Amino acid sequence: MTPGKFITFEGGEGSGKSTQARLLAERLRGLGHDVVVTREPGGTPFAEQVRQLLLAPDTAPHGPVSEALMFYAARADHLEKVIRPALAAGRWVICDRFSDSTDVYQSHAGGLDRAMFDMLEHAIVAATRPSLTLVIDIDARLGQERATARRGSASRGSDSAAADAYERRDIVYHETLRRGFLAIAEAEPQRCLVIDGAKPIDNVAAAVWAGVSERFGADTGAAAPRTD
Ligand code: Z5A
């Protein structure tokens, strides 16, 4: 057991994971906590380079085995250099996607052999499993609409507006992903909490905070609600 708290956000494209990871970190910092916000693939210079390789549309698609090996190579570096040191130092770690994304994208939707996923997870993640996973669930079409709208505004202000290798896949694929995340949450209710991501941002943030407060109780440092 490490003294820190490990929280992951999972869900489909455009579900609002990054927005909610940022808002949760702000709230925890406001209570005086030391919080690391990170993401996968990414979180270290090496893992960010792997991210570029994996998301580049011109070299996609890749087979599920090569994808899984790349995601776990990035994850091994991320765990070693960022996540485990932060948890050992008692910090809160909030990660935008983690192993459940490999389970869903490469195994559930991509056909990666279950034994290979389990082997990689056991060898690389081992005991560093999240204490809480917030699955932000939305209709696949709504997620795609949000991602498309965001790309539209990004194209007016940055150079990263093209759809990546995963975003380019069709709606049936994105619906399969949604079912994959919900299946994990159903199988592991003690770790996972499903949040309705179709609601306005503040409502989703309130549901996230309710889940975090319930899971970590007094460790959040928030005053208990008055009952009088
Ligand atoms: N992948 C994989 O295959 N295997 C793995 O092991 C891992 C990843 C770790 C990169 O992930 C890709 O890698 C991903 C899976 C694969 N592919 N896809 N698709 P990513 O996290 O970088 O990409 P993403 O899922 O597409 O993230 P995203 O598009 O950035 O979505 P998000 O983080 O869930 O949403 P957001 O950025 O917070 O919000 C999107 C927009 O909606 C934005 O304009 C917000 O202002 C808006 N938004 C957010 N919440 C709301 C609400 N509640 N109402 C209205 N509008 C909202």
Side-chain angles (χ1 to χ4, degrees), residues 12-15 137-149 151 167 169-178 198:
E13 176 195 11
S15 56
D137 176 56
I138 56 165
D139 175 78
R141 274 189 203 282
L142 176 57
Q144 286 197 310
E145 280 167 21
R146 282 189 194 163
T148 304
R151 280 198 296 277
E167 291 167 347
R169 298 183 192 180
D170 68 17
I171 191 70
V172 174
Y173 176 76
H174 287 281
E175 284 164 351
T176 304
L177 299 175
R178 184 186 188 191

Side-chain angles (χ1 to χ4, degrees), residues 18 21 27 88 90 103 105 121 127-128 135 144 151 178 206 210 218:
S18 313
R27 186 152 190 174
D103 194 350
Y105 282 78
E121 183 68 7
T128 316
V135 175
Q144 286 197 310
R151 280 198 296 277
R178 184 186 188 191

Side-chain angles (χ1 to χ4, degrees), residues 10-20 39-41 51 55 67 71 75 96-103 105-106 143 146-147 149-150 153 164 166-167 173-174 177 197-202 204:
E10 298 279 5
E13 176 195 11
S15 56
K17 302 175 302 300
S18 313
T19 303
Q20 293 302 326
R39 68 172 181 179
E40 290 211 344
R51 178 185 181 92
L55 301 189
E67 281 187 3
F71 280 114
R75 186 162 297 140
D96 186 352
R97 294 195 184 278
F98 193 62
S99 299
D100 293 324
S101 284
T102 319
D103 194 350
Y105 282 78
Q106 281 66 53
R146 282 189 194 163
R150 190 192 46 191
S153 53
D164 70 37
Y166 296 90
E167 291 167 347
Y173 176 76
H174 287 281
L177 299 175
K199 297 222 167 85
I201 290 175
D202 288 351
V204 181

Side-chain angles (χ1 to χ4, degrees), residues 23-77:
L23 291 174
L24 175 60
E26 282 171 10
R27 186 152 190 174
L28 286 166
R29 285 181 183 133
L31 290 165
H33 295 292
D34 191 356
V35 184
V36 174
V37 183
T38 187
R39 68 172 181 179
E40 290 211 344
T44 67
F46 169 75
E48 291 291 336
Q49 286 191 12
V50 175
R51 178 185 181 92
Q52 298 302 320
L53 281 173
L54 278 161
L55 301 189
D58 47 340
T59 51
H62 329 96
V65 173
S66 52
E67 281 187 3
L69 292 172
M70 295 282 277
F71 280 114
Y72 274 98
R75 186 162 297 140
D77 196 55

Side-chain angles (χ1 to χ4, degrees), residues 174-223:
H174 287 281
E175 284 164 351
T176 304
L177 299 175
R178 184 186 188 191
R179 286 195 298 278
F181 284 116
L182 291 175
I184 290 174
E186 194 177 352
E188 293 187 64
Q190 70 292 352
R191 172 172 69 88
C192 300
L193 181 65
V194 178
I195 307 266
D196 181 359
K199 297 222 167 85
I201 290 175
D202 288 351
N203 297 47
V204 181
V208 165
W209 184 250
V212 170
S213 307
E214 188 182 335
R215 186 61 50 96
F216 298 108
D219 287 343
T220 60

